[in-house]
Amino acid sequence: MDPALAAQISEAVAEKMLQYRRDESGWKICREGNGVSVSWRPSVEFPGNLYRGEGIVNGTPEQVWDCVKPLAGTLRDKWDENVNSFEIIESITDTQCVSRTTTPSAVMKLISPRDFVDLVLVKTYEDGTISSNATSVEHLLCPPKPGYVRGFNHPCGCFCGPLPGEPDKTSLVTFFQTDLSGYLPQGVVDSFFPRSMAGFYANLQKAVKKFYG
């Protein structure tokens, strides 16, 4: 992928992530519990929803990031029940790559396996927050594959940041706006994301404890 184009796309996505994080208007809470809040608002990118997850994870930002980072050598596919496999299609820089993620079937197989090809940029901010910023792209080395419906991630990612005065805890804010493609009833999609995001936080907490004690 052309590095200049990749940089341009990624920086635009990173800017959108910051806007999503700063803009508190219009969010409706759809799931709360165990210290995790999931809210949504209509996406401006596609005819679906933008979801926001917020929670505190026990573990340092470095430990939590190690578990969630969408990069080579990741722990992500070892604990995230929504990730079957994760592979790097192309490394562009040490903080930017094109990845392919496969997901298992879900909702009693109403949602068949998906795969996603994303351009991912990792950014570190002055306060120590690390962010992933991703959006789906087409890549010559990764055409659609049999057995998977090709889904599309509109700008999405997470912010993994320190909590002032709490060195062993991490604030994790996640954003998803995914077009699962295929012919899925909207009700199935709308119930799947809040539940899977809440599960993501619960499984992440177990993973940090397992890998880092």
Side-chain angles (χ1 to χ4, degrees), residues 138-161:
E138 291 187 1
H139 199 284
L140 289 174
L141 297 178
C142 199
K145 304 202 175 181
Y148 293 94
V149 175
R150 178 63 51 92
F152 195 94
N153 284 319
H154 295 274
C156 59
C158 71
F159 291 92
C160 185

Side-chain angles (χ1 to χ4, degrees), residues 41-152:
R41 69 184 190 200
S43 170
V44 297
E45 304 285 339
F46 78 119
N49 294 329
L50 168 64
Y51 290 94
R52 170 179 175 143
E54 295 177 87
I56 306 299
V57 181
N58 292 319
T60 66
E62 292 75 22
Q63 291 167 347
V64 174
W65 175 250
D66 242 14
C67 289
V68 301
K69 66 181 176 184
L71 296 174
T74 182
L75 296 168
R76 186 72 172 267
D77 57 2
K78 292 181 173 61
W79 64 267
D80 189 341
E81 63 187 18
N82 290 315
V83 173
N84 257 358
S85 68
F86 184 85
E87 61 184 300
I88 303 299
I89 304 299
E90 180 186 357
S91 288
I92 300 168
T93 68
D94 58 352
T95 59
Q96 190 176 41
C97 66
V98 177
S99 69
R100 175 177 181 254
T101 308
T102 64
T103 64
S105 60
V107 195
M108 296 180 292
K109 301 198 173 171
L110 281 174
I111 300 176
S112 57
R114 269 22 186 198
D115 73 344
F116 301 87
V117 177
D118 296 313
L119 176 63
V120 182
L121 173 69
V122 173
K123 290 195 75 159
T124 303
Y125 293 94
E126 285 181 4
D127 68 350
T129 295
I130 311 170
S131 73
S132 72
N133 309 272
T135 191
S136 283
V137 291
E138 291 187 1
H139 199 284
L140 289 174
L141 297 178
C142 199
K145 304 202 175 181
Y148 293 94
V149 175
R150 178 63 51 92
F152 195 94

Side-chain angles (χ1 to χ4, degrees), residues 17 20-21 27 50-52 156-157 159 173-177:
M17 286 296 103
Y20 295 158
R21 191 181 183 193
W27 295 102
L50 168 64
Y51 290 94
R52 170 179 175 143
C156 59
F159 291 92
V173 182
T174 55
F175 293 97
F176 287 93
Q177 50 182 343

Side-chain angles (χ1 to χ4, degrees), residues 175-189:
F175 293 97
F176 287 93
Q177 50 182 343
T178 299
D179 184 348
L180 290 172
S181 304
Y183 300 99
L184 291 171
Q186 194 58 43
V188 170
V189 176

